[in-house]
Amino acid sequence: NKQQPPAYHRYDNITHQPKMTTTTTPQKKPPIPDEPPIPLLVKPWVYLYNTIPPKFYIPNTNVSTSFALCSCLFFCALYKTIHLLLLHVFHWPPYTENDVTRSSTIKITAICHSCLLCLTLGPLLQTQPFIPSCPMKVHPQWWQDGANAILEFCTGYMLYDAILNIFIARYFQWGGHAMSVPDYCYLVHHFATAYYMTATRVTGAGHVSAMVIMFFGELTNPFQNAFCMTRQMMKKDVFVDITKALHVYTEFSYAFLYFFIRGCFGPCLCGYVTYDIAFTKHGRSYIPIRTSIVWLIMLWAVLLGSYPWVLDTLDMLKDGLDVKYHKGYVGVEL
């Protein structure tokens, strides 16, 4: 066998002697951390957000409102579908003024909204660091699309709820009844929520604060609406046996979650959000001080406004599984 020559590839420039070179494997660069994979529950939102045309933008911004408008139409259709199912499939009582069927339709629609939100907000918040004031641009593009979709989805629900269940119900379906103080409080709450979510998108920062507050706020909503449904059904003698059995557990589960999330955890969360937005250097650099003041006023107003319900749920917890709002209850109800 003929001996292979050594691997001389070039000559040294000084000695003019052959220079041995060896073939070396190029050193690999340190691996770049991969972006977190898109959670399964977030993928449909990213897809829908990018496929709904056309895009309607708030003037002088790049913030779209198309998904919010489509979400509003979705909830109107969902409300009508649930109402028809209750009437014609499950044989609930027919429509009358302030009837239990219409009220339960509103509450079931609200439960659907809360469940969809929480199932998506949880994975979104879990995949990114919790910095309430951080800018939107630091997140992966899929995360930005998912966050924008969920913020617009909630805005669309607020729009549907205000139009269909306040204005149309009061002035068309219920014979032109004047709006009450709770109705105005309801509208103020919805406006503040929609404004906060939209303002974070316009500002380009603070969206995490809106999302985490929304997550814990909506976490109690299905239980609260279930409790209100069984309470009203019991008063109107609708499916009495099932309602009485369920009401014990809907009241206790609602009271437990609402008291500890809104009454105990809520102030701590709002305090941390306030600190991060208003008292840290990065918070003040990302969010203008005037904007943050408006946000924080609305944040604490909504939290403090819930304290009558916090005290009410405390009374429910004191009774254990002996319900406070039984069929013969006499007193002021929230």
Side-chain angles (χ1 to χ4, degrees):
N1 294 333
K2 189 174 180 180
Q3 189 176 3
Q4 294 294 331
Y8 296 114
H9 294 297
R10 60 174 67 94
Y11 288 83
D12 188 274
N13 293 331
I14 299 177
T15 63
H16 299 286
Q17 296 298 317
K19 181 180 178 182
M20 178 74 75
T21 62
T22 58
T23 305
T24 59
T25 304
Q27 189 175 5
K28 293 182 179 180
K29 295 181 179 179
I32 300 173
D34 294 331
E35 292 182 356
I38 305 179
L40 183 62
L41 293 173
V42 178
K43 287 182 179 179
W45 296 92
V46 176
Y47 173 77
L48 289 173
Y49 185 76
N50 287 294
T51 54
I52 291 181
K55 296 291 185 183
F56 299 107
Y57 295 94
I58 298 175
N60 302 319
T61 72
N62 62 348
V63 175
S64 170
T65 58
S66 304
F67 202 83
L69 297 175
C70 291
S71 299
C72 179
L73 295 176
F74 165 76
F75 282 113
C76 291
L78 180 63
Y79 168 87
K80 191 63 179 177
T81 301
I82 293 171
H83 197 199
L84 291 174
L85 286 173
L86 292 181
L87 285 174
H88 302 295
V89 177
F90 298 101
H91 307 293
W92 282 49
Y95 176 85
T96 56
E97 183 177 323
N98 287 327
D99 76 314
V100 66
T101 303
R102 182 185 179 280
S103 176
S104 296
T105 303
I106 295 172
K107 291 174 174 58
I108 295 172
T109 306
I111 291 172
C112 292
H113 164 254
S114 298
C115 291
L116 288 170
L117 275 184
C118 291
L119 287 173
T120 310
L121 283 168
L124 279 172
L125 292 169
Q126 188 181 19
T127 57
Q128 299 294 302
F130 178 52
I131 305 173
S133 62
C134 72
M136 178 72 83
K137 63 184 179 182
V138 304
H139 303 294
Q141 187 59 50
W142 66 262
W143 198 96
Q144 296 182 39
D145 293 339
N148 280 318
I150 211 70
L151 289 171
E152 286 197 60
F153 184 72
C154 188
T155 303
Y157 173 81
M158 297 298 167
L159 186 61
Y160 138 82
D161 206 25
I163 293 174
L164 193 67
N165 298 324
I166 296 294
F167 292 115
I168 292 180
R170 287 293 180 187
Y171 292 105
F172 294 97
Q173 294 179 345
W174 293 354
H177 290 192
M179 289 181 60
S180 61
V181 173
D183 290 335
Y184 285 112
C185 293
Y186 199 71
L187 290 177
V188 170
H189 169 270
H190 281 25
F191 172 79
T193 304
Y195 173 82
Y196 193 160
M197 292 185 293
T198 305
T200 62
R201 299 175 63 223
V202 172
T203 305
H207 51 285
V208 173
S209 69
M211 291 167 67
V212 72
I213 292 166
M214 189 195 315
F215 175 76
F216 286 104
E218 294 295 337
L219 201 58
T220 61
N221 190 278
F223 299 91
Q224 184 175 14
N225 277 286
F227 157 72
C228 292
M229 280 180 60
T230 56
R231 169 65 181 144
Q232 188 177 23
M233 291 168 67
M234 191 166 56
K235 290 171 65 177
K236 297 292 183 71
D237 294 320
V238 178
F239 307 119
V240 179
D241 294 335
I242 297 176
T243 301
K244 284 184 177 180
L246 288 175
H247 186 66
V248 174
Y249 301 103
T250 59
E251 182 177 286
F252 183 81
S253 58
Y254 153 63
F256 180 83
L257 284 172
Y258 197 95
F259 177 78
F260 284 103
I261 290 179
R262 296 290 185 99
C264 302
F265 179 71
C268 300
L269 177 62
C270 291
Y272 181 77
V273 169
T274 301
Y275 166 76
D276 185 76
I277 290 177
F279 296 99
T280 62
K281 185 177 180 180
H282 63 263
R284 293 193 300 271
S285 65
Y286 296 144
I287 303 170
I289 187 64
R290 292 181 181 178
T291 302
S292 64
I293 290 173
V294 174
W295 291 2
L296 295 175
I297 289 174
M298 291 190 298
L299 172 64
W300 284 100
V302 170
L303 178 68
L304 295 175
S306 68
Y307 262 76
W309 285 266
V310 172
L311 298 177
D312 192 42
T313 53
L314 179 59
D315 288 339
M316 296 180 195
L317 289 176
K318 291 177 180 178
D319 296 335
L321 293 179
D322 295 328
V323 296
K324 174 182 178 180
Y325 291 110
H326 51 82
K327 182 174 174 58
Y329 177 81
V330 177
V332 178
E333 295 188 38
L334 294 175

